[in-house]
Amino acid sequence: MENNITLYMQEPDGSVTAHEAPTDMGLSLMEFLKASEYDILATCGGMALCATCCVDVLEGEEKLNEMTDDEYAMLDTLPDLLPNSRLACQLQLNNNMEGLKVKLH
Amino acid sequence: MISTDIAVIGAGPVGLFAIFEAGLLKMRCHLIDYLPQVGGQLSEIYPKKPIYDIPGYPSVLAQELVDNLMEQAKPFHPSFTLGERIEGLEKRGEADFVLTTNMGTIIEAKVIVIAGGLGCFEPRKPAVENLENFENGKGVNYMILDPEKYRDQKMVIAGGGDSALDWTIYLADVCSELTLVHRSESFRGAPDSVSKVLALAESGKIYLVLNSNLQAVHGGDKLEQVEIVQNRTMEKSMVDADHLIPLFGLSPKLGPIENWNLNINKSAIEVNTDDYSTNVPGIYAIGDINTYKNKLKLILCGFHEAALMSHSAYSYMNPGVKYTMKYTTVNGVAEF
Ligand SMILES: Cc1cc2nc3c(=O)[nH]c(=O)nc-3n(C[C@H](O)[C@H](O)[C@H](O)COP(=O)(O)OP(=O)(O)OC[C@H]3O[C@@H](n4cnc5c(N)ncnc54)[C@H](O)[C@@H]3O)c2cc1C
Ligand code: FES
């Protein structure tokens, strides 16, 4: 469908699950993952204040928006940050993200 | 040993308001929090953000609300154990509970109120070999409770956020040697703190090790050296240290409460909405930590729960005594 993309989640056991995600509802990746019942705390509700929604981007990093200073500053507090780590709450789903593959940090 | 009427686990906004509500009914409270300060999520995560949905305040800063809650509770002289985590809960005899903290403090209470929010805010620990071997008084700490403990000692701080910067500035004059290790080459903390840290490094008061991570810790009975690795060259270096403080922020975990035979549903405690009691008589759960149909994790809902809990706790503690509800506008706030 025009307003859906396919996102891939790498599960803790290494298997990959495909999800259809809507891009016309203004959802962030965090909101989508929470709605899909992934174990994502998202304590601060998407304000880039808690880093409990951190994901590692396995494929499609170039499809994502640039980090804002707030996102960078929050990620900077993590002891085990990877070069491809992002805050899922700061990634608003859009059609460019087709095929994005992530795993929970 | 501490002895009280109500032991409140968690000094977030809901725990703080519970003191006031209990105080109106002449019950004494002792609050325990793992964080070194009161205020829960408000003080730890968003102290400078405005809150818009507290009745009577069109807007109030989170820390200002916490300060006001403390002021409101003052007439009832609550006591606090801060910087300690409640680990154990035991029912002793017919009515009394005994709580124990990770530091061995014992608190006896007639009623337990769990206002633990999302759980304990626990430090995020870096993946460093041997780290846990040096915890518990052997050199590695994740919070600074008493800076004087570090006077004339060699210390390594790791992290790049505001607390790492603030403590570096403070401890530069206290420690005999201070090294700050940070993963990247720039800091995103408050610009004023960043320039102070850079000036301290320039003047030789501290060692600043950028683009580097902690790799391992070494020592015998106590910490002696911290091993650091440069991110790009992978070059390793050793820094002599009596103390290492990794400051990578805090993350909430439900922790010990999970093992207390309470009915738990998805990391929250099930309660009876008549009075927010749990399945164990004498134990209540209020605020973000409880769950029931249509629960809203909002401060104002936690305040309501605190009021109903207090009246039920009064009846639990004074069986057979009839209490007639009076408005504070009638009685005032009678200090004790
Ligand atoms: C960014 C952000 C914005 C928010 N904005 C709003 C808003 O605008 N309006 C609103 O109503 N709500 C808001 N909330 C939600 C609100 O902060 C919570 O509902 C509120 O903090 C819950 O209060 P509490 O006292 O139940 O728990 P908390 O504030 O979580 O406090 C619980 C305390 O218990 C301590 N604790 C837990 N277990 C133990 C233990 N075993 N031993 C010792 N201590 C323990 C913890 O360290 C913590 O300090 C917001 C939350 C966030 C993160
Ligand atoms: S939900 Fe808190 S940082 Fe994303």
Side-chain angles (χ1 to χ4, degrees):
Chain A
M1 244 192 294
E2 215 170 87
N3 294 325
N4 274 1
I5 52 171
T6 309
L7 294 178
Y8 298 96
M9 274 301 284
Q10 183 169 308
E11 310 291 340
D13 65 2
S15 65
V16 175
T17 314
H19 293 275
E20 287 280 290
T23 54
D24 57 351
M25 288 171 64
L27 292 182
S28 68
L29 178 61
M30 175 277 276
E31 287 162 331
F32 178 74
L33 294 178
K34 223 174 178 358
S36 308
E37 308 226 324
Y38 278 98
D39 192 13
I40 187 163
L41 257 180
T43 308
C44 76
M47 299 170 76
L49 284 173
C50 69
T52 59
C53 68
C54 188
V55 294
D56 299 329
V57 181
L58 304 176
E59 279 170 34
E61 214 181 334
E62 69 291 349
K63 300 173 179 181
L64 302 177
N65 56 295
E66 293 254 315
M67 269 190 214
T68 60
D69 274 359
D70 283 348
E71 181 179 357
Y72 194 101
M74 190 64 238
L75 283 170
D76 220 21
T77 63
L78 297 188
D80 49 357
L81 182 75
L82 300 174
N84 56 342
S85 298
R86 296 293 302 257
L87 295 179
C89 68
Q90 302 300 301
L91 301 174
Q92 190 171 350
L93 297 182
N94 64 53
N95 289 337
N96 290 338
M97 291 185 188
E98 172 62 39
L100 187 75
K101 184 169 162 191
V102 301
K103 75 191 243 299
L104 297 186
H105 182 71
Chain B
M1 191 184 59
I2 297 156
S3 196
T4 186
D5 292 330
I6 302 186
V8 183
I9 302 171
V14 178
L16 292 178
F17 189 62
I19 313 171
F20 177 75
E21 284 296 318
L24 290 175
L25 302 177
K26 303 263 180 292
M27 295 180 288
R28 284 172 195 280
C29 292
H30 183 83
L31 275 80
I32 310 99
D33 206 299
Y34 191 35
L35 293 174
Q37 80 277 336
V38 302
Q41 293 171 51
L42 280 66
S43 302
E44 188 52 43
I45 305 182
Y46 61 109
K48 293 183 184 132
K49 293 232 170 253
I51 307 175
Y52 300 103
D53 53 353
I54 303 296
Y57 285 95
S59 164
V60 59
L61 295 183
Q63 187 56 47
E64 203 183 328
L65 178 63
V66 170
D67 295 344
N68 284 349
L69 285 164
M70 286 292 280
E71 182 66 29
Q72 193 174 18
K74 223 180 192 176
F76 305 124
H77 302 287
S79 48
F80 293 90
T81 298
L82 296 177
E84 298 187 31
R85 179 175 64 191
I86 293 293
E87 296 282 348
L89 172 112
E90 227 184 306
K91 194 155 167 43
R92 197 183 278 176
E94 271 304 279
D96 286 1
F97 295 95
V98 179
L99 292 171
T100 39
T101 74
N102 60 328
M103 312 270 262
T105 305
I106 296 176
I107 300 138
E108 222 181 58
K110 294 173 188 139
V111 162
I112 303 291
V113 173
I114 305 174
L118 305 161
C120 257
F121 282 94
E122 297 198 4
R124 293 198 189 100
K125 297 185 186 180
V128 168
E129 281 169 43
N130 294 336
L131 199 62
E132 61 284 0
N133 296 347
F134 294 99
E135 290 173 355
N136 301 322
K138 294 184 191 158
V140 174
N141 271 303
Y142 302 95
M143 275 183 204
I144 298 173
L145 294 177
D146 174 16
E148 272 309 304
K149 198 176 131 190
Y150 306 104
R151 184 157 296 278
D152 301 327
Q153 307 263 310
K154 291 181 186 149
M155 175 140 173
V156 174
I157 293 180
D162 282 321
S163 60
L165 294 171
D166 291 348
W167 280 117
T168 300
I169 296 163
Y170 186 91
L171 291 168
D173 281 331
V174 175
C175 298
S176 60
E177 246 178 66
L178 177 59
T179 307
L180 174 63
V181 183
H182 178 42
R183 184 186 37 230
S184 79
E185 62 188 2
S186 58
F187 291 94
R188 302 276 165 155
D192 181 47
S193 313
V194 175
S195 44
K196 280 191 185 140
V197 164
L198 295 177
L200 284 170
E202 198 126 296
S203 66
K205 278 212 98 169
I206 62 162
Y207 301 107
L208 189 55
V209 186
L210 298 178
N211 290 318
S212 300
N213 277 323
L214 302 176
Q215 171 94 353
V217 278
H218 303 278
D221 287 346
K222 288 199 151 222
L223 180 73
E224 286 163 18
Q225 287 190 310
V226 176
E227 191 177 323
I228 295 166
V229 61
Q230 225 284 347
N231 289 340
R232 291 185 194 137
T233 59
M234 299 311 273
E235 199 180 317
K236 289 180 183 169
S237 56
M238 290 283 199
V239 180
D240 288 344
D242 305 305
H243 300 276
L244 166 66
I245 317 272
L247 293 172
F248 295 113
L250 303 169
S251 188
K253 304 239 158 53
L254 190 56
I257 292 168
E258 229 158 358
N259 311 319
W260 291 351
N261 295 328
L262 299 166
N263 291 340
I264 303 243
N265 180 355
K266 288 197 182 147
S267 297
I269 302 171
E270 288 180 354
V271 285
N272 177 344
T273 48
D274 286 352
D275 58 359
Y276 303 96
S277 56
T278 67
N279 56 311
V280 179
I283 302 185
Y284 296 81
I286 55 176
D288 278 11
I289 196 129
N290 74 15
T291 183
Y292 50 87
K293 190 167 178 270
N294 296 335
K295 163 79 183 176
L296 285 180
K297 286 191 181 179
L298 285 177
I299 298 165
L300 111 133
C301 300
F303 287 170
H304 158 85
E305 294 163 16
L308 290 196
M309 171 283 294
S310 292
H311 284 263
S312 175
Y314 180 88
S315 307
Y316 177 83
M317 277 171 46
N318 304 286
V321 178
K322 191 161 162 36
Y323 177 80
T324 315
M325 218 290 288
K326 292 207 183 76
Y327 293 118
T328 54
T329 36
V330 177
N331 266 10
V333 174
E335 184 160 346
F336 61 75

